[in-house]
Amino acid sequence: MEHVTGVPERFAPPAAPARVNDYDGFAEAYTAENENNLVNAYYERPAMLALAGEVAGRRILDAGCGAGALSAALRERGAVVTGIDASAGMLSLARRRLGDDVALHVVDLSHRLPFPDGAFDDVVASLVLHYLEDWGPALGELRRVLRPGGRLIASVDHPFVAYTFQDPRPDYSATNSYSFDWTFNGRSVPMRFWRRPLHAMTDAFAGAGFRISVISEPQPDPAARELFPGGFRDLSTQPCFLFFVVEVPPSRSRSAPSATATATALGSDE
């Protein structure tokens, strides 16, 4: 059989390999899966919101906001939210959800952030740091844009997860990448994360000037027990994600920017 171009199929060039972590390519499918599933909707997001606590009036940067589910929940609780994500496709879905009154920026966390020093009271980084080989530059920038006393609330893949799924077990003390496929609606997409031991995580926070306040391994929302009985038991008894609250020390040499400067910097440039 021949292609419409007339090139015999046996001589056609091989299809280009799918891009790794290509959220633009599967934004809709990922968001549909993420919206109401056990791990995200009944475990990770409730845990992040519980750690954030009372957020009314607080300026919060959602770093790696995706389609905006956590941003929407924070805004409902009275926070003033700004979202950044490396995927324009995910931000398009966030804009659809959040409307025009939330500033959204296409930003890669490995680059300098487009905000002045001390622009935010809190940063939430939901399941995003494990995409980075080196946490140092990103954590340095997140610390810079937090005011003195501000908090970074982060969730990452638990460093023990590999020991529940892989045989042979990997070298726990090493920082290395691992690849796998996610499947959405029968379509397989390649992903790559970076695994690091717990001490490497805490060292990275300390190296960026943060003070660790909380390390948490929460349980899923009890409402999930009846909705996902099998999965609920697994999630309740096996490691999945690890949560941190780390703080900027309450005093540092640079003062927070004026309200006018902050408002100007937080305008949307999506």
Side-chain angles (χ1 to χ4, degrees), residues 62-241:
D62 190 348
C65 67
L70 182 57
S71 290
L74 291 166
R75 185 176 66 171
E76 288 171 3
R77 289 160 172 76
V80 180
V81 181
T82 298
I84 60 173
D85 201 280
S87 167
M90 295 298 286
L91 282 184
S92 178
L93 298 178
R95 175 63 68 210
R96 188 186 308 171
R97 181 198 301 269
L98 299 169
D100 295 331
D101 59 341
V102 172
L104 298 174
H105 305 257
V106 179
V107 175
D108 189 318
L109 269 181
S110 62
H111 299 159
R112 183 174 175 83
L113 301 180
F115 310 113
D117 296 357
F120 299 99
D121 300 302
D122 299 311
V123 173
V124 292
S126 176
L127 303 177
V128 65
L129 290 175
H130 49 230
Y131 289 93
L132 303 176
E133 178 179 5
D134 182 2
W135 284 15
L139 290 181
E141 275 296 281
L142 294 178
R143 184 191 185 281
R144 180 185 66 78
V145 302
L146 280 165
R147 65 167 177 80
R151 305 175 299 169
L152 166 61
I153 304 164
S155 59
V156 297
D157 268 358
H158 199 295
F160 298 164
V161 165
Y163 294 86
T164 66
F165 293 109
Q166 293 189 14
D167 186 19
R169 292 176 176 176
D171 177 0
Y172 174 77
S173 64
T175 295
N176 48 40
S177 66
Y178 63 104
S179 300
F180 57 96
D181 288 337
W182 274 346
T183 301
F184 302 110
N185 298 327
R187 177 190 172 195
S188 182
V189 295
M191 305 298 296
R192 183 174 64 222
F193 291 171
W194 286 88
R195 178 193 299 113
R196 71 201 69 230
L198 177 58
H199 75 265
M201 298 181 187
T202 57
D203 287 352
F205 288 126
F210 286 104
R211 184 170 56 195
I212 295 175
S213 173
V214 176
I215 299 177
S216 177
E217 297 171 304
Q219 290 289 294
D221 185 335
R225 187 186 301 273
E226 294 184 3
L227 295 171
F228 308 93
F232 181 87
R233 183 185 180 283
D234 290 343
L235 198 56
S236 300
T237 58
Q238 298 176 12
C240 185
F241 302 138

Side-chain angles (χ1 to χ4, degrees), residues 6-59:
V7 179
E9 186 173 16
R10 63 184 180 278
F11 297 127
R19 288 177 52 198
V20 173
N21 303 340
D22 181 20
Y23 276 93
D24 284 344
F26 58 86
E28 294 272 3
Y30 174 82
T31 300
E33 171 70 19
N34 178 282
E35 199 71 21
N36 296 299
N37 67 2
L38 169 62
V39 171
N40 298 103
Y42 290 90
Y43 175 56
E44 195 275 338
R45 280 199 298 275
M48 290 290 285
L49 292 169
L51 290 171
E54 176 58 54
V55 296
R58 295 180 73 87
R59 303 162 301 166

